[in-house]
Amino acid sequence: MKSGSGDDPFAETDTDPEPESDDQQDEMAVETESTDVEATTQPDIPYKFRRDSVKQDRKQRPIFIRPEVAERESTFLRNLEDEVGEDVYKTDALEAALVVAMDNPDLVAEELREWGYDWEQSAASR
């Protein structure tokens, strides 16, 4: 029979490589195990590096702010960048500020009291 397109491409031939020795198989097993251990012992990748864009996995929420608060935003961002030692996206900075506020409702309540919250009705009518 002629060799060519009719031959079985999966048939075993004398040119197949020799089976791996026990030592080679042990080395491969060690490499696989160490890779698995490495993957599980590495710390979680921070959010900044897990995303493709600053908007990824975020919902846009409208927020209305007064002019005096808007004027403070650029100073806040500069100070924050000085603290962390690198540029910070405004979206990240504002979301982080919101998270810090959520973790510290007492600080938010203090600010709201300065805005007039928690006033007694009688004090407001005087």
Side-chain angles (χ1 to χ4, degrees), residues 20-34:
E20 295 173 349
S21 70
D22 288 342
D23 289 340
Q24 288 172 325
Q25 288 175 354
D26 288 344
E27 284 176 26
M28 287 176 59
V30 169
E31 285 177 20
T32 303
E33 288 172 15
S34 65

Side-chain angles (χ1 to χ4, degrees), residues 63 73 76-77 80 89-99:
I63 181 171
E73 189 175 71
F76 166 69
L77 288 170
L80 190 59
Y89 285 108
K90 181 167 64 170
T91 300
D92 285 342
L94 297 178
E95 185 177 10
L98 182 59
V99 169

